[in-house]
PDB file of all heavy atoms in Angstrom:
ATOM      1  N   TYR A  55      19.343 -10.869  13.529  1.00  0.00           N
ATOM      2  CA  TYR A  55      19.621 -12.093  12.933  1.00  0.00           C
ATOM      3  C   TYR A  55      20.530 -13.037  13.667  1.00  0.00           C
ATOM      4  O   TYR A  55      20.269 -14.283  13.841  1.00  0.00           O
ATOM      5  CB  TYR A  55      20.292 -11.819  11.503  1.00  0.00           C
ATOM      6  CG  TYR A  55      20.834 -13.007  10.776  1.00  0.00           C
ATOM      7  CD1 TYR A  55      19.993 -14.000  10.325  1.00  0.00           C
ATOM      8  CD2 TYR A  55      22.211 -13.062  10.583  1.00  0.00           C
ATOM      9  CE1 TYR A  55      20.494 -15.081   9.673  1.00  0.00           C
ATOM     10  CE2 TYR A  55      22.695 -14.178   9.897  1.00  0.00           C
ATOM     11  CZ  TYR A  55      21.862 -15.179   9.391  1.00  0.00           C
ATOM     12  OH  TYR A  55      22.359 -16.281   8.769  1.00  0.00           O
ATOM     13  N   ASP A  56      21.567 -12.555  14.213  1.00  0.00           N
ATOM     14  CA  ASP A  56      22.517 -13.353  15.004  1.00  0.00           C
ATOM     15  C   ASP A  56      21.867 -13.894  16.207  1.00  0.00           C
ATOM     16  O   ASP A  56      22.180 -15.011  16.689  1.00  0.00           O
ATOM     17  CB  ASP A  56      23.785 -12.553  15.351  1.00  0.00           C
ATOM     18  CG  ASP A  56      24.585 -12.171  14.173  1.00  0.00           C
ATOM     19  OD1 ASP A  56      24.600 -12.932  13.158  1.00  0.00           O
ATOM     20  OD2 ASP A  56      25.214 -11.072  14.173  1.00  0.00           O
ATOM     21  N   ASP A  57      20.950 -13.148  16.859  1.00  0.00           N
ATOM     22  CA  ASP A  57      20.280 -13.626  18.114  1.00  0.00           C
ATOM     23  C   ASP A  57      19.230 -14.686  17.796  1.00  0.00           C
ATOM     24  O   ASP A  57      19.040 -15.619  18.605  1.00  0.00           O
ATOM     25  CB  ASP A  57      19.608 -12.459  18.781  1.00  0.00           C
ATOM     26  CG  ASP A  57      20.604 -11.338  19.140  1.00  0.00           C
ATOM     27  OD1 ASP A  57      20.853 -10.510  18.226  1.00  0.00           O
ATOM     28  OD2 ASP A  57      21.039 -11.304  20.264  1.00  0.00           O
ATOM     29  N   LEU A  58      18.626 -14.621  16.657  1.00  0.00           N
ATOM     30  CA  LEU A  58      17.541 -15.530  16.376  1.00  0.00           C
ATOM     31  C   LEU A  58      17.878 -16.675  15.464  1.00  0.00           C
ATOM     32  O   LEU A  58      17.131 -17.723  15.326  1.00  0.00           O
ATOM     33  CB  LEU A  58      16.350 -14.743  15.693  1.00  0.00           C
ATOM     34  CG  LEU A  58      15.710 -13.627  16.560  1.00  0.00           C
ATOM     35  CD1 LEU A  58      14.633 -12.889  15.725  1.00  0.00           C
ATOM     36  CD2 LEU A  58      15.054 -14.206  17.825  1.00  0.00           C
ATOM     37  N   ARG A  59      19.027 -16.598  14.755  1.00  0.00           N
ATOM     38  CA  ARG A  59      19.436 -17.589  13.819  1.00  0.00           C
ATOM     39  C   ARG A  59      19.519 -18.974  14.395  1.00  0.00           C
ATOM     40  O   ARG A  59      20.109 -19.149  15.526  1.00  0.00           O
ATOM     41  CB  ARG A  59      20.819 -17.165  13.210  1.00  0.00           C
ATOM     42  CG  ARG A  59      21.425 -18.176  12.185  1.00  0.00           C
ATOM     43  CD  ARG A  59      22.611 -17.712  11.630  1.00  0.00           C
ATOM     44  NE  ARG A  59      23.609 -17.393  12.631  1.00  0.00           N
ATOM     45  CZ  ARG A  59      24.802 -16.831  12.422  1.00  0.00           C
ATOM     46  NH1 ARG A  59      25.132 -16.578  11.162  1.00  0.00           N
ATOM     47  NH2 ARG A  59      25.624 -16.548  13.411  1.00  0.00           N
ATOM     48  N   GLY A  60      18.813 -19.892  13.731  1.00  0.00           N
ATOM     49  CA  GLY A  60      18.907 -21.294  14.167  1.00  0.00           C
ATOM     50  C   GLY A  60      17.938 -21.585  15.310  1.00  0.00           C
ATOM     51  O   GLY A  60      17.922 -22.719  15.821  1.00  0.00           O
ATOM     52  N   SER A  61      17.075 -20.625  15.717  1.00  0.00           N
ATOM     53  CA  SER A  61      16.151 -20.907  16.831  1.00  0.00           C
ATOM     54  C   SER A  61      15.192 -21.921  16.466  1.00  0.00           C
ATOM     55  O   SER A  61      14.449 -21.813  15.450  1.00  0.00           O
ATOM     56  CB  SER A  61      15.460 -19.573  17.248  1.00  0.00           C
ATOM     57  OG  SER A  61      14.383 -19.816  18.055  1.00  0.00           O
ATOM     58  N   TRP A  62      14.951 -22.988  17.211  1.00  0.00           N
ATOM     59  CA  TRP A  62      14.040 -24.045  16.900  1.00  0.00           C
ATOM     60  C   TRP A  62      12.611 -23.580  16.948  1.00  0.00           C
ATOM     61  O   TRP A  62      11.742 -24.130  16.364  1.00  0.00           O
ATOM     62  CB  TRP A  62      14.241 -25.211  17.878  1.00  0.00           C
ATOM     63  CG  TRP A  62      13.947 -24.980  19.303  1.00  0.00           C
ATOM     64  CD1 TRP A  62      14.736 -24.383  20.271  1.00  0.00           C
ATOM     65  CD2 TRP A  62      12.710 -25.168  19.899  1.00  0.00           C
ATOM     66  NE1 TRP A  62      14.086 -24.310  21.454  1.00  0.00           N
ATOM     67  CE2 TRP A  62      12.833 -24.727  21.265  1.00  0.00           C
ATOM     68  CE3 TRP A  62      11.408 -25.616  19.496  1.00  0.00           C
ATOM     69  CZ2 TRP A  62      11.785 -24.786  22.242  1.00  0.00           C
ATOM     70  CZ3 TRP A  62      10.315 -25.716  20.355  1.00  0.00           C
ATOM     71  CH2 TRP A  62      10.505 -25.239  21.745  1.00  0.00           C
ATOM     72  N   LEU A  63      12.383 -22.491  17.626  1.00  0.00           N
ATOM     73  CA  LEU A  63      11.014 -21.898  17.717  1.00  0.00           C
ATOM     74  C   LEU A  63      10.694 -21.172  16.442  1.00  0.00           C
ATOM     75  O   LEU A  63       9.483 -20.968  16.196  1.00  0.00           O
ATOM     76  CB  LEU A  63      10.961 -20.954  18.892  1.00  0.00           C
ATOM     77  CG  LEU A  63      10.844 -21.504  20.327  1.00  0.00           C
ATOM     78  CD1 LEU A  63      10.941 -20.451  21.396  1.00  0.00           C
ATOM     79  CD2 LEU A  63       9.584 -22.366  20.453  1.00  0.00           C
ATOM     80  N   LEU A  64      11.698 -20.794  15.673  1.00  0.00           N
ATOM     81  CA  LEU A  64      11.348 -19.999  14.492  1.00  0.00           C
ATOM     82  C   LEU A  64      11.844 -20.596  13.143  1.00  0.00           C
ATOM     83  O   LEU A  64      11.138 -20.352  12.109  1.00  0.00           O
ATOM     84  CB  LEU A  64      12.108 -18.591  14.648  1.00  0.00           C
ATOM     85  CG  LEU A  64      11.569 -17.668  15.650  1.00  0.00           C
ATOM     86  CD1 LEU A  64      12.446 -16.428  15.787  1.00  0.00           C
ATOM     87  CD2 LEU A  64      10.074 -17.265  15.382  1.00  0.00           C
ATOM     88  N   GLU A  65      12.855 -21.385  13.153  1.00  0.00           N
ATOM     89  CA  GLU A  65      13.413 -21.790  11.900  1.00  0.00           C
ATOM     90  C   GLU A  65      12.405 -22.554  10.999  1.00  0.00           C
ATOM     91  O   GLU A  65      12.250 -22.143   9.858  1.00  0.00           O
ATOM     92  CB  GLU A  65      14.619 -22.710  12.197  1.00  0.00           C
ATOM     93  CG  GLU A  65      15.480 -22.960  10.872  1.00  0.00           C
ATOM     94  CD  GLU A  65      16.818 -23.638  11.252  1.00  0.00           C
ATOM     95  OE1 GLU A  65      16.989 -24.133  12.396  1.00  0.00           O
ATOM     96  OE2 GLU A  65      17.691 -23.704  10.331  1.00  0.00           O
ATOM     97  N   ARG A  66      11.724 -23.576  11.518  1.00  0.00           N
ATOM     98  CA  ARG A  66      10.726 -24.230  10.769  1.00  0.00           C
ATOM     99  C   ARG A  66       9.454 -23.477  10.560  1.00  0.00           C
ATOM    100  O   ARG A  66       8.905 -23.372   9.448  1.00  0.00           O
ATOM    101  CB  ARG A  66      10.500 -25.645  11.413  1.00  0.00           C
ATOM    102  CG  ARG A  66      11.640 -26.591  11.244  1.00  0.00           C
ATOM    103  CD  ARG A  66      11.983 -26.887   9.770  1.00  0.00           C
ATOM    104  NE  ARG A  66      13.193 -27.678   9.647  1.00  0.00           N
ATOM    105  CZ  ARG A  66      13.149 -29.040   9.640  1.00  0.00           C
ATOM    106  NH1 ARG A  66      11.966 -29.669   9.802  1.00  0.00           N
ATOM    107  NH2 ARG A  66      14.225 -29.721   9.481  1.00  0.00           N
TER     108      ARG A  66
END
Side-chain angles (χ1 to χ4, degrees):
Y55 171 65
D56 292 330
D57 302 82
L58 299 175
R59 180 175 51 183
S61 168
W62 65 271
L63 286 172
L64 290 175
E65 192 169 11
R66 291 300 177 86

